[in-house]
């Protein structure tokens, strides 16, 4: 396997494991005779293999905010993807952070550049959230990332978005909605987070009923996930989603 990787990447002089946030079995920066490359993957028949294959399939259709996939190697029971190395730090989402403008600019650009959705097979968001929300409220023709954890953003000379292993096709405002929850978790009030989000045209133009329904569905889905498979990050995200949902409901006119 190493020889096959070196055939594509050059002789490996050093490998540095990703320090945190990796959900895959292998996540390393390779320092090779041809330069640096980010390498991720796992067992070719393992539970995560379909995610690696999906990311490899979609990468050629992504704008340059996503690092390029250079090669894919499948050998001896392993599946490994080699990407353009994208150095940088994760953006700060706390109130007052200068990174917030950069994140908003990127989300606006992605919604614009990935509408209409490229001609690649991806799951409709309405199918992923089947039974949680009326399909017409989240339906659309934008290619979405859907995993807005700050760990998937790398800010170097520009902001990049990595790990496109869970893409969907749906309404253009959905990625911004997922990011808005992250802002609330980082300390923003729901009202302040929404004021940030309306700088992104796709969100500013979204139907208010759809956004409120989205917050309700998110609370129910993440609550179910936290009960069935508790994780340290899920509790704070669920609390942030609940705050946003309560804020949306507080703005609705009282029933006659």
């Amino acid at each position: 396997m190493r020889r096959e990787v070196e055939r594509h990447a050059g002789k490996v002089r050093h490998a540095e494991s990703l320090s945190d946030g990796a959900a895959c079995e292998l996540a390393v920066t390779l320092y090779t005779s041809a330069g640096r490359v980010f390498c991720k993957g796992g067992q070719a028949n393992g539970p995560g293999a379909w995610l690696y294959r999906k990311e490899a399939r979609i990468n050629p259709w992504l704008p340059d905010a996503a690092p390029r996939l250079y090669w894919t190697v499948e050998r001896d029971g392993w599946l490994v993807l080699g990407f353009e190395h994208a150095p940088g730090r994760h953006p700060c989402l706390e109130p007052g952070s200068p990174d917030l403008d950069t994140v908003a600019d990127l989300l606006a650009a992605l919604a614009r550049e990935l509408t209409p959705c490229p001609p690649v097979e991806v799951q409709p968001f309405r199918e992923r959230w089947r039974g949680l929300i009326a399909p017409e409220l989240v339906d659309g023709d934008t290619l979405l990332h859907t995993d807005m954890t700050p760990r998937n953003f790398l800010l170097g000379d520009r902001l990049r978005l990595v790990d496109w292993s869970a893409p969907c096709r749906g309404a253009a405002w959905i990625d911004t909605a997922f990011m808005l929850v992250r802002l609330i978790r980082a300390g923003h009030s729901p009202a302040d987070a929404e004021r940030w989000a309306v700088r992104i045209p796709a969100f500013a133009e979204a139907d208010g009923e759809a956004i409120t329904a989205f917050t309700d569905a998110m609370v129910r889905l993440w609550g179910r996930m936290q009960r069935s498979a508790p994780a340290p990050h899920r509790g704070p995200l669920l609390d942030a989603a609940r705050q946003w949902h309560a804020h949306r409901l507080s703005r609705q006119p009282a029933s006659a």
Side-chain angles (χ1 to χ4, degrees), residues 73-130:
V73 168
E74 186 168 352
R75 185 183 177 93
D76 298 329
W78 280 82
L79 173 63
V80 173
L81 281 60
F83 289 90
E84 170 192 3
H85 182 255
R89 60 174 177 83
H90 305 311
C92 174
L93 302 182
E94 295 177 359
S97 169
D99 297 343
L100 294 172
D101 288 342
T102 306
V103 173
D105 289 345
L106 177 58
L107 291 178
L110 288 173
R112 182 176 62 252
E113 294 169 8
L114 293 174
T115 306
C117 183
V120 59
E121 182 183 352
V122 289
Q123 182 186 35
F125 193 83
R126 65 175 185 271
E127 294 294 329
R128 182 175 295 182
W129 275 25
R130 178 186 288 273

Side-chain angles (χ1 to χ4, degrees), residues 38-188:
F38 177 68
C39 189
K40 67 183 289 188
Q43 298 179 60
N45 296 315
W50 66 281
L51 294 171
Y52 311 140
R53 298 184 197 282
K54 182 185 296 186
E55 186 167 10
R57 186 174 68 249
I58 202 171
N59 184 268
W61 301 97
L62 298 176
D64 61 3
R68 295 297 90 201
L69 175 65
Y70 290 149
W71 43 261
T72 301
V73 168
E74 186 168 352
R75 185 183 177 93
D76 298 329
W78 280 82
L79 173 63
V80 173
L81 281 60
F83 289 90
E84 170 192 3
H85 182 255
R89 60 174 177 83
H90 305 311
C92 174
L93 302 182
E94 295 177 359
S97 169
D99 297 343
L100 294 172
D101 288 342
T102 306
V103 173
D105 289 345
L106 177 58
L107 291 178
L110 288 173
R112 182 176 62 252
E113 294 169 8
L114 293 174
T115 306
C117 183
V120 59
E121 182 183 352
V122 289
Q123 182 186 35
F125 193 83
R126 65 175 185 271
E127 294 294 329
R128 182 175 295 182
W129 275 25
R130 178 186 288 273
L132 289 168
I133 193 170
E136 67 273 12
L137 296 179
V138 292
D139 206 11
D141 194 27
T142 299
L143 180 62
L144 306 167
H145 182 281
T146 77
D147 189 6
M148 292 288 106
T149 170
R151 291 194 302 266
N152 283 338
F153 290 82
L154 293 170
L155 181 57
D157 57 348
R158 57 184 170 131
L159 186 62
R160 313 292 291 276
L161 180 57
V162 304
D163 194 4
W164 288 78
S165 59
C168 269
R169 185 180 73 252
W173 52 266
I174 289 175
D175 274 344
T176 300
F178 278 128
M179 178 57 76
L180 194 151
V181 178
R182 300 283 177 170
L183 265 64
I184 296 172
R185 182 188 179 188
H188 298 257

Side-chain angles (χ1 to χ4, degrees), residues 190-204:
D192 285 344
E194 286 193 344
R195 277 190 284 272
W196 171 86
V198 296
R199 291 186 291 175
I200 300 164
F203 188 88

